[in-house]
Amino acid sequence: MNLSRFSLEGKVALVTGGSRGIGRAIALAFADAGANVAISGRKLPDLEAVAEELKQKGVKSLAVASHIARGEESKALVDRVKGEWGKIDILVNNAGTNPYAGPLLEAEEWAWDATMNVNLKGPFLLSQLVAGVMKEQGGGSIVNIASIMGIAPSELGFYSVTKAGLIMLTRVLAKEWGQYKIRVNAIAPGVVKTRLSEALWKDPVKSEVAAKSKALGYIGVPEDIAGTALFLASDASSYVTGEVIVVDGGELVGPAPDYGA
Ligand SMILES: NC(=O)c1ccc[n+]([C@@H]2O[C@H](COP(=O)([O-])OP(=O)(O)OC[C@H]3O[C@@H](n4cnc5c(N)ncnc54)[C@H](OP(=O)(O)O)[C@@H]3O)[C@@H](O)[C@H]2O)c1
């Protein structure tokens, strides 16, 4: 096989939530593969620090402050990246949030709106804007960062609902935009050690339970997600669309049975 199909040389990528965690790891992997990478998030200083790391890999980078749930900010983001580099080949909808963890019986309307807006409305609005650019240039690849919590219900109720929505959005957009050579896929990670999930992995008891619940026996790190994102972004996955790849260290399959040897 021609391994250059895994290369992103000459491509332009936009990664939302690129200032830390999974988004940062994906942005760095894309830079290693040769792409020029734009990253967005709300806090510019955090983004600028990562943009500097990206530049040190010999590619161009761009840090843009942009709230994913605000359509006008996403429009400015897309205009900025297109204005700078003339095209967008890859979009990773990675920015996500979970502002409420508790029983849905007591959940309030603001939490529903905040979770939906960031995890589902925002990725749709940005995808729509970027797809306009991709259609014009003859194609592209969109990768949505969902979660296994969007496949199996979790204790983070609203979060699960938004991620299930993002998985269906992936399939719906893949169906509609395949005619424009725009591929749309999702990654469904299990627990990954980032700020978003620190309530779990920083607690020694919960952390051990979480590690033991996976076939591979440990909690993932952001770099564990980056390789799959690179595959889906690159031409190596040119015939893959509407797909959801679970990257969870074997959490959904579960650990080996204990026969009490
Ligand atoms: N960590 C896990 O266990 C896990 C598991 C499955 C799926 N995921 C998914 O993976 C993605 C990345 O999560 P992570 O774990 O890497 O989280 P993280 O470390 O908390 O990073 C979140 C990123 O998103 C940005 N962000 C948050 N709210 C935003 C908003 N309203 N507008 C624009 N950017 C925003 C943050 O920057 P600012 O704060 O500066 O905006 C940051 O760059 C999320 O979609 C998450 O749901 C995570």
Side-chain angles (χ1 to χ4, degrees):
M1 183 188 177
N2 184 352
L3 291 182
S4 71
R5 287 169 66 77
F6 284 94
S7 167
L8 300 185
E9 209 70 49
K11 302 215 186 226
V12 168
L14 167 58
V15 180
T16 70
S19 61
R20 60 174 189 265
I22 294 170
R24 174 177 166 274
I26 290 173
L28 289 169
F30 284 5
D32 282 330
N36 293 330
V37 187
I39 49 172
S40 66
R42 288 165 302 174
K43 298 174 207 90
L44 192 57
D46 295 357
L47 292 163
E48 283 171 340
V50 177
E52 202 42 54
E53 288 185 89
L54 293 167
K55 272 194 196 118
Q56 279 164 18
K57 291 182 178 287
V59 299
K60 292 181 192 154
S61 67
L62 194 60
V64 185
S66 177
H67 192 302
I68 189 64
R70 297 183 188 146
E72 74 284 3
E73 291 187 24
S74 286
K75 168 94 177 61
L77 169 64
V78 172
D79 288 348
R80 177 88 191 279
V81 180
K82 188 164 181 244
E84 202 82 25
W85 293 327
K87 60 174 189 166
I88 305 176
D89 301 298
I90 299 153
L91 166 66
V92 181
N93 281 307
N94 164 77
T97 192
N98 180 53
Y100 174 75
L104 293 196
L105 200 55
E106 287 153 29
E108 294 173 19
E109 190 176 340
W110 69 263
W112 171 272
D113 288 342
T115 320
M116 281 287 169
N117 287 345
V118 171
N119 292 1
L120 192 51
K121 184 183 86 170
F124 168 65
L125 293 176
L126 186 59
S127 297
Q128 193 185 41
L129 288 160
V130 171
V133 177
M134 289 176 167
K135 184 183 167 192
E136 226 170 67
Q137 74 198 19
S141 172
I142 298 176
V143 180
N144 294 322
I145 306 301
S147 168
I148 57 168
M149 291 184 174
I151 296 171
S154 75
E155 67 286 3
L156 308 180
F158 289 158
Y159 181 82
S160 270
V161 173
T162 62
K163 294 298 186 178
L166 189 59
I167 286 170
M168 184 50 75
L169 182 69
T170 301
R171 296 199 170 114
V172 167
L173 296 183
K175 191 176 173 76
E176 186 176 315
W177 295 348
Q179 62 187 314
Y180 310 123
K181 308 244 173 320
I182 301 171
R183 299 184 296 108
V184 189
N185 292 289
I187 298 174
V191 188
V192 177
K193 283 187 182 175
T194 68
R195 195 183 298 176
L196 189 76
S197 57
E198 66 187 7
L200 174 82
W201 58 265
K202 280 195 172 167
D203 177 317
V205 177
K206 288 184 187 165
S207 172
E208 200 188 330
V209 171
K212 282 191 174 149
S213 72
K214 295 162 197 12
L216 293 182
Y218 69 94
I219 296 176
V221 293
E223 291 69 26
D224 287 321
I225 310 302
T228 306
L230 175 57
F231 166 67
L232 290 174
S234 74
D235 294 341
S237 61
S238 57
Y239 204 49
V240 182
T241 197
E243 195 49 70
V244 183
I245 302 184
V246 171
V247 184
D248 69 345
E251 184 169 338
L252 288 185
V253 294
D258 179 2
Y259 295 116

